[in-house]
Amino acid sequence: MDEELLYAVDLSDPSGEFEPASELLNALELDFSSFFDRENCTVRHTVYALSMEGARENCARLSAALEEWKEFGVELTMGEIFTIAKSEWAEAWKKYFKPIAISEKLLIRPSWLDDEPLPGQKVLEINPGMSFGTGQHATTNYCLKCIDRFAGQKKSLLDAGCGSGILAIAGALLDYGPIDAFDFDPEAVTVSAENASLNHVAEKISLSVGNAADWQGRKEKYDLVCANILGHLLIAFRFNIVSWVAPDGVLVLSGILDRDFDKVSAAFAEVGMKEVERFKDKDWTSGIFTF
């Protein structure tokens, strides 16, 4: 039986930074992995498809996007389509993910590792598949720390743009409830459901496919909302996003390039929310907002 293949194209990034291009690729709903090529001192982003036709469609979308991305300081060079065995890919990318201690209460651990937690520390096992969200990225990590910080103070939680489901699962392990999560990508919702089952919290999380432009949650608004979404989308959909937050609730905005954060903060001030904290890590800034 022939081994199943993936059809891939490489994007080379000489900046040495993972995050900006990763966020933009994620916004295009592309399946990809990234690693640092030490020999050539570049970051390599590899975009995958299940067929040659899909790979060609990816190349067409990337070609159209590369010029626009220069405005974000991201300049990539695209190579030719090549094939890789799916089993080879599945094992190769695992070496780039390590356990992360969010606090004494929460440890994020890839599902294939067995690092021991501290006494009383909850373990969140994550298998990202080809979806975004392992806790490694600065924006996801900040959201995790906020969920950890407000545990016991806030109850209901919304994870907007759930990716791998890591934020919703962290909330379930730290006794939030009820918990809702959605993503525009059906594959991300599938991976989130698998990860929720892996962590034995599937019954605590309501997952759905949806878009921040018009998604409607429970009648009761949420005590904590984490919106890990690109800055221009946060601004565009701010009226709907604000509608999710309880009067005494907390809104965490993440996934924002540093140069865009002031614009995001001003846009949310226009709809009645005030910035109470901001956190910068490399090229990314996140923040906490309240009414």
Side-chain angles (χ1 to χ4, degrees), residues 57-97:
E57 290 176 359
N58 285 345
C59 287
R61 295 181 65 199
L62 288 166
S63 295
L66 290 181
E67 192 64 31
E68 178 184 345
W69 289 357
K70 291 179 181 178
E71 298 179 15
F72 298 96
V74 176
E75 297 198 30
L76 305 177
T77 301
M78 185 166 60
E80 300 294 325
I81 295 172
F82 64 96
T83 58
I84 184 174
K86 194 170 185 179
S87 59
E88 180 182 342
W89 168 84
E91 293 304 316
W93 59 265
K94 290 183 178 180
K95 63 185 176 184
Y96 300 106
F97 299 107

Side-chain angles (χ1 to χ4, degrees), residues 158-236:
L158 173 62
D159 177 5
C162 60
S164 66
I166 189 171
L167 301 184
I169 295 166
L173 292 173
L174 294 174
D175 297 324
Y176 283 80
I179 301 169
D180 287 342
F182 71 87
D183 201 286
F184 62 84
D185 182 1
E187 177 64 22
V189 175
T190 298
V191 171
S192 293
E194 292 170 353
N195 282 322
S197 295
L198 177 66
N199 287 276
H200 310 291
V201 295
E203 73 285 354
K204 296 183 178 181
I205 302 170
S206 177
L207 287 160
S208 61
V209 177
N211 191 302
D214 52 19
W215 188 85
Q216 298 296 315
R218 299 172 188 268
K219 183 177 181 180
E220 299 80 12
K221 297 186 178 184
Y222 299 90
D223 298 320
L224 178 61
V225 174
C226 292
N228 190 9
I229 302 171
L230 289 172
H232 70 282
L233 298 178
L234 291 171
I235 292 172

Side-chain angles (χ1 to χ4, degrees), residues 142 149 242 249-253 256 258 260-280 285-291:
Y142 181 76
R149 184 198 312 185
V242 166
V250 170
L251 173 63
V252 179
L253 299 180
I256 307 162
D258 182 54
D260 294 335
F261 193 84
D262 285 340
K263 290 184 287 186
V264 172
S265 183
F268 278 81
E270 291 175 2
V271 292
M273 302 209 77
K274 59 183 178 182
E275 177 191 332
V276 296
E277 176 182 303
R278 70 170 63 185
F279 176 78
K280 184 179 185 305
T285 300
S286 306
I288 293 175
F289 294 76
T290 61
F291 287 110

